[in-house]
Every structure is written in C-alpha cells, then in structure tokens.
Amino acid sequence: MSSQDTPGVHDVLVVGCGAMGSQIAMACALAGYRATAFDLDAGAFDRAATELRRRLDRDVARGRRDEEAVTAAFERLSFTTDLDAAARRADFVIEAAAEDLEVKREVFARLDALAPAHTILTTNSSAIASSRIADATARPDRVANMHFFNPALVMRCVEVVGGPETSAATVATTTALARRLGKDPVVLRKEVPGFVANRILGAARDEAVSLLERGVASVQDIDTACRTALGYPMGPFELMDLTGIDIGYRAKLARYAETEDPADRPSRTVTELVERGELGRKTGLGFYSYADDGTQYPREDDGTPR
C-alpha cells in the first residue's frame, strides 16, 4: 500500500508512550510514516525503546521482519516531551493516554489549538466515544476513535468509529491508515459503548466472573474450559491479568458513567482486586500469581480472590 492511500498524512503523532502508545508509534514507523511518541515522562522513552527493540529483534531472528526495514523504522521513530512542537507538524494524531474523559478533553483541546487545520485527531479509547471529546475542539468533523488491540504490533484488528459529526472523509482516511499499518479495520456504522470486540469479549468476561462469584468453578477451570472447548488462545482471567485488571475496571466505570446501567458497573471481585492493588501480571498478583520471570501459578487461595 502506498502513501497515496493516505494523502496528506506523512507525520503521525501518538500521545502517550506506554506499552500501547509506543507500539502504535512503531507500527506507524514500520509503515513508512514519520512517527513521534509524546509523553510527559521522559523515563518512558528508554523503557519503550528497550521493549520495542526486544520485540523487533526477536521478529527479525525468527524471520518475521526484515532487518533493514526495522532499522529504517527506528530511524523514522522519535520521542519527545514537547507536545507543542510535535502537534504543529502532525498530520494525524492518535491519543493513547489515560482512560479519563476530562484528561482526554484537555488533551484534545490543546491539540486542536496547536495542530494544522487539516490534522485528524483520533483516540485509541474503546471506553470513551469520540463524540464525548469532539466538542472540546473546533474540528468535530475530524475527530474519531481509532481503537487498537494489545499488543498493537501483533493484533490485526483496528476499530474505526466516527461520531455524529465525524466526516466521511475522516473515516475513510482513518480506515486507509489502518490498512497501511497492515491492520484489518472494522468500521462501525454508529457509536456504541465498548464498540464490537470488547462488547463480545466483555460478555464472556462478565459471565466468567459471575460463574466464579457463584462458586460454580475455579479461575483455572473456567479458563481451561474457554481454551479447550471454545478455542480461546487464553482464558478470560488470564487475559484480564495480561491486559491489567485496572484497565478493564476503568473501562467498566466509564461505560457505567455513560449508560447508568447497573449491569455495566465493575463486579465485586474486580473492584476488590483493584482496591488491593492486585492488577495482574504487572503487579505479580491478580487472578493468578506470577514469578519474577513471568511464570504463571494458581493463587495460594485456589485462584479465588478473597
């Protein structure tokens, strides 16, 4: 796919340099764009660069990527704490910051004031629809959701969602950009909380937690059933631990704030885990326990949170 598929898009800015943001930025660099990753924390850059290098070197060693292409991508990727300068030269922005509506509105208002008039502003959020952010800008027709899945360098799905004021041209450019990144875009015809994949995944996750809370089966047995009977690559509890239990918790809070449906509130079990700081792999304890090398073990309390 050539740059003609995304006319006018040469520089992509990713706001947020965590695991997701850094991988999105690298995906853009691999596709031939000049990619800039912004973060307030300069310490995030060394962590991101180290992890990206580890992932891509492994891919090269396994024959999945060309070494010269990877070297060229790193040359096109830069990191900065200067949002003003990065936004002024950006043709397309992908925000991957905290799942907090007010934070996102502040970020988008600032981006709107800085970025060129043609620049499209997108959010990676699946929990917060772009229509709740667009009116913080003077360009609601150029605001949309561009939702990647973790890990962004591997997962092929990208959900593209326009709000009521998003133009067809914005949706088309965002979709074309996703394709150029080697993704398979899913374009929603209307906004709905959680979009498509996470609504389906969330239904399975919620049922798994319900079965656990009702004492029907253990964490391990529910995950085993999903892997061996349904063909899931990992069970719902393993996946929650991988992505971060707090991420799903905040997503549920955001959906509940929008719908006010009690069914959308976080479960008791998930709430208790978050309150105790047991967030999954990144803290060493979640629905499972994890050794320093990442090896997964059942919890001492049989995998059932206290």
Side-chain angles (χ1 to χ4, degrees):
M1 185 170 290
S2 71
S3 60
Q4 293 179 351
D5 295 285
T6 53
V9 178
H10 306 285
D11 286 84
V12 178
L13 167 63
V14 179
V15 178
C17 195
M20 180 63 81
S22 61
Q23 288 192 41
I24 293 172
M26 176 51 77
C28 293
L30 285 165
Y33 295 103
R34 292 187 295 270
T36 303
F38 162 83
D39 205 286
L40 291 170
D41 176 17
F45 303 149
D46 285 341
R47 295 191 295 271
T50 298
E51 177 60 18
L52 290 172
R53 178 62 69 182
R54 183 190 68 81
R55 281 181 171 273
L56 294 174
D57 283 350
R58 181 186 61 197
D59 287 350
V60 169
R62 294 177 178 177
R64 296 174 180 170
R65 296 186 189 274
D66 177 76
E67 185 174 6
E68 290 185 4
V70 168
T71 299
F74 271 104
E75 292 174 353
R76 287 189 291 268
L77 176 64
S78 61
F79 302 94
T80 186
T81 57
D82 187 349
L83 182 61
D84 291 18
R88 288 192 180 100
R89 62 175 180 268
D91 302 308
F92 196 101
V93 178
I94 305 168
E95 173 270 321
E99 285 294 282
D100 182 295
L101 177 60
E102 291 310 311
V103 169
K104 290 185 187 298
R105 288 179 61 84
E106 290 174 8
V107 168
F108 271 67
R110 186 174 174 189
L111 290 168
D112 181 54
L114 295 168
H118 70 272
T119 304
I120 291 174
L121 308 178
T122 68
T123 175
N124 180 55
S125 178
S126 68
I128 300 174
S130 66
S131 61
R132 303 182 69 196
I133 305 170
D135 65 351
T137 77
R139 63 180 85 194
D141 60 313
R142 279 157 293 180
V143 176
N145 285 79
M146 187 180 189
H147 176 228
F148 292 77
F149 290 81
N150 187 28
L153 280 170
V154 176
M155 299 295 284
R156 293 184 61 86
C157 184
V158 169
E159 292 175 317
V160 178
V161 192
E165 296 187 71
T166 306
S167 70
T170 293
V171 171
T173 298
T174 305
T175 302
L177 176 62
R179 287 200 180 98
R180 188 173 169 197
L181 299 186
K183 306 303 183 182
D184 296 321
V186 173
V187 181
L188 275 67
R189 297 174 179 175
K190 62 172 67 176
E191 286 186 332
V192 60
F195 307 152
V196 173
N198 279 346
R199 288 182 73 89
I200 295 171
L201 178 64
R205 177 197 59 211
D206 291 348
E207 183 60 24
V209 172
S210 175
L211 290 168
L212 177 67
E213 290 183 342
R214 288 156 53 199
V216 172
S218 70
V219 163
Q220 301 97 289
D221 284 340
I222 293 168
D223 276 349
T224 297
C226 290
R227 289 195 311 272
T228 59
L230 304 179
Y232 287 18
M234 62 176 58
F237 295 111
E238 292 173 308
L239 182 58
M240 282 188 276
D241 273 4
L242 175 65
T243 59
I245 295 170
D246 55 321
I247 302 299
Y249 173 78
R250 291 200 298 269
K252 293 281 281 186
L253 285 179
R255 185 181 299 185
Y256 175 64
E258 184 172 349
T259 67
E260 298 184 350
D261 182 348
D264 287 334
R265 297 181 67 176
S267 68
R268 172 183 59 82
T269 297
V270 167
T271 299
E272 290 176 358
L273 286 169
V274 171
E275 288 175 347
R276 293 199 299 269
E278 298 169 4
L279 309 180
R281 285 183 177 272
K282 61 187 173 184
T283 61
L285 192 63
F287 286 104
Y288 293 88
S289 178
Y290 299 89
D292 290 341
D293 64 0
T295 303
Q296 175 184 294
Y297 298 97
R299 288 176 61 129
E300 293 182 359
D301 47 11
D302 193 35
T304 305
R306 298 184 294 278

